[in-house]
Amino acid sequence: MSTTESTAETTEKDAPAGEPTDRRRGGDRAGLLTAGAILVACLGFVLYGVLGTEDDPRPERPKTPTAAVTYRVTGEGSVDVSYLARGEEGRATVEKDVELPWEKTVQVPLGRPPTLGIVLDGKGGQARCALAVRGAHVQSATASGTYGRATCAAERLAAPEGAREGS
């Protein structure tokens, strides 16, 4: 046996049971340091993703082109009004028990048909709806009687002549 071999045997034999030798201690420390570094890096990525940065590199979503539409309801009493308004999908907006006269100008997405619907309340009466696109009268209709209904609608909106698509 050489002197080097006997020293290694002595070190392993002299270590009390359950205690690691010097060789294992160094390996454990390196593993803990590596695991800690990975944990810190992961935490940094998570915080970066949650908090983001001030300069958001994502491009802004293109806005849907719209046209000005004026909805008008005249008459006496109150009505429920539903109309198409701004939005990517151009969903209907409903206003209940609206006192007349009522008027609203909104932006409607191109490619959507502007629509205005009215329903009289249980007292009845008479009301007239009117629809104008870009200031030009398009349609009108009259509702009368108890829970009378009327709808004003136009064809799908298109860009004005001479305008570039998307503006």
Side-chain angles (χ1 to χ4, degrees):
M1 239 193 264
S2 72
T3 311
T4 311
E5 289 177 359
S6 64
T7 306
E9 285 178 10
T10 306
T11 306
E12 289 176 15
K13 287 180 187 174
D14 291 343
E19 274 192 36
T21 61
D22 286 340
R23 216 181 284 161
R24 282 184 66 195
R25 278 189 203 146
D28 287 345
R29 285 185 193 145
L32 285 174
L33 288 174
T34 303
I38 291 172
L39 182 62
V40 168
C42 288
L43 183 60
F45 283 123
V46 168
L47 287 176
Y48 178 79
V50 170
L51 300 177
T53 62
E54 289 182 27
D55 298 328
D56 192 358
R58 291 178 290 180
E60 188 177 311
R61 268 179 57 183
K63 294 185 179 174
T64 302
T66 60
V69 175
T70 301
Y71 299 117
R72 182 176 297 124
V73 182
T74 56
E76 293 182 14
S78 64
V79 296
D80 291 345
V81 177
S82 63
Y83 58 93
L84 187 64
R86 167 175 268 154
E88 294 290 323
E89 299 174 11
R91 295 180 186 224
T93 300
V94 177
E95 294 186 23
K96 301 268 186 191
D97 296 321
V98 173
E99 291 296 321
L100 300 179
W102 175 88
E103 181 175 311
K104 187 167 269 194
T105 300
V106 298
Q107 297 296 316
V108 175
L110 296 184
R112 295 286 191 183
T115 306
L116 169 64
I118 59 173
V119 178
L120 293 164
D121 62 15
K123 296 177 187 172
Q126 187 170 3
R128 181 174 188 83
C129 65
L131 174 68
V133 177
R134 297 182 186 102
H137 174 76
V138 176
Q139 186 184 33
S140 62
T142 302
S144 60
T146 305
Y147 302 107
R149 298 172 182 263
T151 302
C152 293
E155 293 185 24
R156 283 192 269 169
L157 296 176
E161 289 184 33
R164 293 181 304 150
E165 190 171 317
S167 52

